[in-house]
Amino acid sequence: MKRFVVGNWKMNGSIQQIHEFNQLSPRHNVISVICPPACFIPLFNPQHIHVGAQNCHHQLSGAYTGEVSAEQLKALGCTYVILGHSERRAQFTESSELVNHKASQAIQAGLIPIICVGETETERRESRFKHVLSSQLDISLSGINLEQCVIAYEPVWSIGTGLVPTTEQITEVIELIRNLKGKTTKVLYGGSVNNKNIKTIVDIPALDGVLVGGASLSLQSFQEIINAFQGE
Ligand code: PGA
């Protein structure tokens, strides 16, 4: 089974960095994906790495100034698109309903959506996280063929904070997702993954891979994370 290492560059990165990333060594057991800002997508060498977007619009085309459609991303060479990242849910008030519309556009365009779900610190502390995750999953994935997408569990409290849930906590959520959505659902973990803590995360047997933010901006740390999944 191949596992995923997906880098989310957010609104970071430069053309110089892309030239460096085009030297990345692919590993045969790992599906490596970088999701840069959309304008940089065509600059990656698809022989070294898959490319994904960080968002797409929920309509096919039209008068939506500043937006990019799933079809246009596909035409640029994208294979994946991250949808429903907590930063988009919080900063751009994206609802699970909207994420659901985006996911169907993405699939129709031939992209594989990576759909993010995750609870806040308060929701976990108040033991409401299972309810929150179930609701995000139900609405975001309504009518979506689970074989055509990937789920990323990203607790909001772990993103950019250095806090990583325990193996037990991650495993509990993977089981919740698979109980709700089926045993073959692909589940990634994201939140403060780096080249130092990756060894522990790789050892979670039920996990299909990781979604990496900050540590995906350095070729060395991203390559070390990929190598950890290869067993090096
Ligand atoms: P982080 O971000 O790895 O910097 O915590 C992860 C993400 O937002 O996907």
Side-chain angles (χ1 to χ4, degrees):
M1 181 193 76
K2 286 197 177 191
R3 301 217 275 175
F4 290 85
V5 177
V6 183
N8 174 12
W9 276 15
K10 309 191 181 184
M11 201 172 72
N12 299 301
S14 64
I15 292 175
Q16 174 57 35
Q17 258 166 298
I18 296 166
H19 292 321
E20 289 169 25
F21 270 72
N22 281 335
Q23 311 300 315
L24 189 109
S25 305
R27 297 287 186 247
H28 63 269
N29 276 342
V30 183
I31 300 170
S32 314
V33 186
I34 284 284
C35 303
C39 55
F40 286 156
I41 288 167
L43 303 181
F44 282 85
N45 181 344
Q47 288 182 334
H48 287 254
I49 195 152
H50 295 279
V51 189
Q54 300 172 15
N55 180 34
C56 70
H57 197 265
H58 63 284
Q59 298 286 0
L60 193 57
S61 62
Y64 302 105
T65 302
E67 293 291 324
V68 181
S69 77
E71 267 191 0
Q72 290 160 345
L73 294 168
K74 179 72 181 174
L76 284 183
C78 262
T79 324
Y80 297 89
V81 58
I82 298 172
L83 295 176
H85 189 282
S86 64
E87 285 154 17
R88 294 212 57 90
R89 289 179 187 263
Q91 298 166 17
F92 301 92
T93 58
E94 285 195 6
S95 63
S96 290
E97 285 82 2
L98 185 64
V99 173
N100 180 245
H101 293 307
K102 290 182 178 209
S104 24
Q105 276 301 340
I107 290 172
Q108 274 175 48
L111 297 174
I112 298 170
I114 300 171
I115 298 176
C116 302
V117 295
E119 80 284 1
T120 63
E121 199 260 325
T122 311
E123 288 160 349
R124 178 157 281 269
R125 190 165 15 86
E126 294 175 354
S127 296
R128 288 191 283 128
F129 67 99
K130 288 189 182 173
H131 174 77
V132 168
L133 292 169
S134 304
S135 158
Q136 288 177 350
L137 288 163
D138 275 350
I139 302 169
S140 308
L141 297 170
S142 167
I144 299 293
N145 180 350
L146 272 298
E147 297 297 319
Q148 291 175 302
C149 67
V150 176
I151 309 298
Y153 169 51
E154 293 211 311
V156 180
W157 51 272
S158 75
I159 294 176
T161 60
L163 298 172
V164 177
T166 62
T167 295
E168 291 69 28
Q169 285 173 322
I170 295 174
T171 305
E172 184 182 28
V173 173
I174 297 171
E175 280 169 8
L176 172 81
I177 295 172
R178 298 223 171 102
N179 284 339
L180 288 169
K181 295 292 157 197
K183 293 274 164 264
T184 56
T185 309
K186 291 194 175 62
V187 187
L188 315 184
Y189 166 74
S192 295
V193 174
N194 59 38
N195 50 340
K196 305 278 184 307
N197 59 26
I198 191 62
K199 292 275 184 304
T200 315
I201 296 169
V202 162
D203 286 341
I204 302 175
L207 195 64
D208 290 295
V210 286
L211 180 51
V212 188
S216 71
L217 285 161
S218 138
L219 175 61
Q220 193 192 332
S221 59
F222 195 64
Q223 182 80 64
E224 281 176 28
I225 293 168
I226 291 169
N227 293 351
F229 276 97
Q230 182 74 20
E232 290 175 2

